[in-house]
Amino acid sequence: MSVTGELDSLESSPDFPHQSAVLSERTLTPEELEKLRNDRVLVSDFKQQKLEVEAQKNWDLFYKRNTTNFFKDRHWTTREFDELKNCRESQGQKLVLLEAGCGVGNCIFPLLEEDLNIFIYACDFSPRAVEFVKQNALYCTERCLAFQCDLTKDDLQAIIQVETVDVATLIFVLSAIHPDKMQKALEQIYKVLRPGGIVLFRDYGLYDHAMLRFKSGNKLGENFYVRQDGTRSFFFSREYLAGLFQQAGFETLVNEYVLRETVNKKEGLCVPRVFLQSKFRKPVPSLGPV
């Protein structure tokens, strides 16, 4: 299996057998420790700059090759994140959701089917992915607005009014952004969230099996790698992620590793997967003295 397939085709599995939430990093075997110690050679600065310039093109080519067939629909999101059902101040309130990095709609369309009282802003870096969303039979502009956006430089407020979003999702999205630009993406989301609004996060965790499968020559920086197709992936520690969100102004509600074992039937292996699942909140301003 290619590195690309190992990283991504398993992340959206709808069932999580043998899953556990922990606060500490996965313990590495001596062989895994040795592999990481020896992987010191970084991709050249020239190639890294080229990957950054061509990041959008590489994701567009990814969706051209795979169309809507690569990821499974994420029917698990409401089970893992009850805020998608309960983050309403009153019964009957329409929930306003931003899915940052919507891909071809594997998260938004199950939500639109399940919750009739929801409006979803859906943006993605890839224009091709956004077009796939708009071509879906379930896409309806009265309930969803899909648009292309680079969260690291485009202004979200050109589309979404400030402080009008109840919940934002970042599900296997932030890891694809260069670490130097992650802060900017979070600051953009912070501006459109209402006070008390929640960010629901799930992404690759430190020492995930996919991280350890990268061969020498794919390392871009600490915990940051490039796949064979030119797309990139970062592997988060709890501390690193909490620091990013806190610097952007968020409060941490939940921030824990999710450990699970996935059976790779093709290779006959049982591999350890590590994800980071977290919830962050935009603070509600405290009332001053009357």
Side-chain angles (χ1 to χ4, degrees), residues 67-223:
T67 65
T68 60
N69 300 318
F70 195 78
F71 301 109
K72 297 177 182 178
D73 281 350
R74 292 168 175 157
H75 293 282
W76 50 265
T77 50
T78 51
R79 182 176 71 244
E80 293 291 306
F81 297 116
D82 57 7
E83 286 81 2
L84 292 171
K85 291 183 177 179
N86 301 326
C87 194
R88 289 174 166 91
E89 295 179 343
S90 61
Q91 190 173 7
Q93 175 193 341
K94 183 183 288 291
L95 188 72
V96 178
L97 173 76
L98 165 64
E99 189 184 9
C102 64
V104 297
N106 298 101
C107 182
I108 64 173
F109 291 120
L111 287 175
L112 287 170
E113 285 187 294
E114 187 173 327
D115 189 341
L116 298 179
N117 201 20
I118 190 171
F119 184 88
I120 301 178
Y121 292 103
C123 67
D124 200 89
F125 192 27
S126 164
R128 192 182 300 271
V130 172
E131 282 307 307
F132 279 127
V133 171
K134 292 180 176 180
Q135 292 166 13
N136 191 298
L138 294 173
Y139 183 75
C140 170
T141 54
E142 294 179 356
R143 302 190 61 212
C144 182
L145 175 61
F147 59 101
Q148 191 277 331
C149 179
D150 179 350
L151 288 171
T152 68
K153 64 180 182 181
D154 297 334
D155 187 4
L156 264 182
Q157 294 177 73
I159 302 293
I160 306 173
Q161 290 186 0
V162 65
E163 297 190 347
T164 57
V165 172
D166 298 304
V167 180
T169 60
L170 276 171
I171 299 178
F172 297 98
V173 173
L174 200 62
S175 57
I177 296 175
H178 193 286
D180 292 347
K181 298 184 176 182
M182 291 177 183
Q183 195 72 50
K184 173 67 174 178
L186 297 183
E187 290 170 356
Q188 290 247 56
I189 293 170
Y190 185 91
K191 291 175 183 177
V192 299
L193 270 181
R194 64 169 173 80
I198 302 291
V199 176
L200 305 176
F201 178 94
R202 187 176 175 105
D203 216 322
Y204 302 112
L206 190 65
Y207 306 145
D208 179 48
H209 178 71
M211 174 179 173
L212 298 167
R213 275 183 63 102
F214 280 106
K215 297 179 180 178
S216 180
N218 291 94
K219 190 171 185 179
L220 302 171
E222 186 176 4
N223 306 327

Side-chain angles (χ1 to χ4, degrees), residues 217-244:
N218 291 94
K219 190 171 185 179
L220 302 171
E222 186 176 4
N223 306 327
F224 192 39
Y225 297 83
V226 60
R227 305 185 187 112
Q228 294 168 356
D229 62 1
T231 61
R232 298 166 297 176
S233 189
F234 187 87
F235 296 84
F236 292 94
S237 69
R238 288 179 62 246
E239 295 78 11
Y240 186 89
L241 185 70
L244 282 175

